[in-house]
Amino acid sequence: MCLSAWLLVGLFVGKRESRPWIVSDELRSLIEPLLPVPAPKLVPGRPRVPDRQALCGILFVLHTGIQWEYLPQELGFGSGMACWRRLAAWNEAGVWTGFHVVLLARLRAAKQLDWSRAVIDSSRSGQLGAAQSGPSPVDRARPGSKHHILVEGQGIPLAVSLTGGNRNDVTQLIPLLAKIPSVPGLVGRPRRRPDVLLGDRGYDHDKYRRLVWAQGIKPVIARRGVAHGSGLGVHRWVVEHTIAWFHGFRRLRVRWERRDDIHEAILGLATCLITHHHVQRLC
């Protein structure tokens, strides 16, 4: 085994607090009912890696940024490509979307979702090249992707999307609002619309203000050439904080996946992990 693999094994056998890729019993109990039932094997072969071990391998790649094919099998997570295939299958089955709704429902049941305002922003990640990419206008036209993030008043992510690095932020304003799920948890209708939407000058366009108003949401967006009117240091800092959480996952800092669905699956999983952290903190 190579030196880097031994170093990773050394990390693995350290303290549990330093191993965020280990799936707890509580996390397993939330995800397991959402996982699709595997099809029965028709021909003999290697035994299927248990879902819990495969999820640990996926989380290991997400946290460390290691490439899939270099995932050490000595860790007991199965091969990297087996974890990769499991991630793709779970994403296609909508596991992360359903898990995110379950977590948001827990927060709403505990009255810990702040619907009084939502904040939108985007962050850029460099990449090696893929379909959802484009020359970044702020990084010497290097290829890159953008993560567009919409959070509620405390910074809990409500919706995320992936585009090329050359896409204008304002083009994702309405799609992100449409991606906010209907969140149950309290008596009455599920909720999916905040009262106010805050954004920086990248979303300054009267056409989109009218579209936001049409959905019953008040847009508070800074205008170009005037002082900030959307609370950069008062309210909008929560989305910057959440972006920092996303960048804490090393696999999201630089995009290695050439397939959009795989990178979107990793982005969706990271969204669930951040939301789950808030569930543990607030509920």
Side-chain angles (χ1 to χ4, degrees):
M1 186 167 55
C2 65
L3 177 60
S4 61
W6 279 114
L7 292 175
L8 292 174
V9 172
L11 287 173
F12 176 75
V13 299
K15 295 182 179 180
R16 185 176 182 87
E17 291 78 5
S18 64
R19 295 179 290 164
W21 47 83
I22 300 301
V23 178
S24 65
D25 293 336
E26 186 260 344
L27 185 61
R28 176 189 179 184
S29 65
L30 292 174
I31 296 181
E32 205 166 44
L34 304 173
L35 300 180
V37 178
K41 296 186 67 173
L42 301 179
V43 294
R46 291 183 180 180
R48 175 185 170 88
V49 177
D51 289 335
R52 186 172 188 173
Q53 292 177 222
L55 181 56
C56 286
I58 294 169
L59 294 181
F60 188 90
V61 172
L62 175 63
H63 281 282
T64 65
I66 189 174
Q67 296 187 38
W68 293 100
E69 58 268 27
Y70 296 148
L71 179 66
Q73 296 194 30
E74 290 78 6
L75 298 179
F77 302 150
S79 69
M81 296 315 298
C83 295
W84 182 91
R85 287 191 294 269
R86 201 72 60 87
L87 174 66
W90 289 346
N91 183 60
E92 185 177 356
V95 171
W96 310 132
T97 302
F99 185 33
H100 189 217
V101 173
V102 169
L103 296 173
L104 291 176
R106 284 201 167 194
L107 288 165
R108 188 173 183 228
K111 298 183 179 180
Q112 294 296 335
L113 279 181
D114 183 3
W115 291 100
S116 65
R117 62 180 180 271
V119 193
I120 187 173
D121 208 342
S122 67
S123 66
R124 181 187 176 278
S125 66
Q127 67 184 62
L128 297 181
Q132 288 280 16
S133 64
S136 172
V138 296
D139 194 11
R140 292 175 288 180
R142 291 178 180 175
S145 294
K146 270 187 178 181
H147 301 148
H148 302 266
I149 303 169
L150 180 69
V151 303
E152 50 83 76
Q154 301 178 88
I156 300 172
L158 297 176
V160 295
S161 66
L162 172 70
T163 67
N166 59 336
R167 292 293 299 277
N168 291 332
D169 290 349
V170 71
T171 61
Q172 294 302 301
L173 180 59
I174 301 303
L176 273 179
L177 288 174
K179 290 185 70 174
I180 299 178
S182 296
V183 182
L186 293 175
V187 177
R189 293 182 179 180
R191 181 157 185 178
R192 60 174 305 180
R193 289 287 181 263
D195 297 329
V196 178
L197 177 67
L198 288 81
D200 61 18
R201 291 181 178 86
Y203 302 92
D204 178 25
H205 199 294
D206 289 338
K207 168 188 172 182
Y208 291 95
R209 283 190 178 89
R210 289 192 295 270
L211 292 175
V212 173
W213 270 116
Q215 298 188 34
I217 304 171
K218 177 183 178 181
V220 182
I221 300 173
R223 292 186 179 274
R224 294 179 177 88
V226 299
H228 279 282
S230 54
L232 176 63
V234 179
H235 300 300
R236 284 200 287 116
W237 67 270
V238 294
V239 71
E240 303 294 343
H241 183 266
T242 304
I243 287 173
W245 272 85
F246 277 99
H247 288 177
F249 299 105
R250 303 182 79 176
R251 193 70 183 183
L252 290 177
R253 295 181 197 172
V254 177
R255 176 178 171 181
W256 293 91
E257 282 76 27
R258 294 182 180 274
R259 283 179 48 174
D260 296 334
D261 60 330
I262 299 299
H263 191 73
E264 288 175 341
I266 293 176
L267 187 61
L269 174 57
T271 302
C272 292
L273 294 177
I274 294 172
T275 308
H276 181 252
H277 169 78
H278 288 288
V279 171
Q280 292 179 311
R281 182 175 63 89
L282 299 172
C283 298

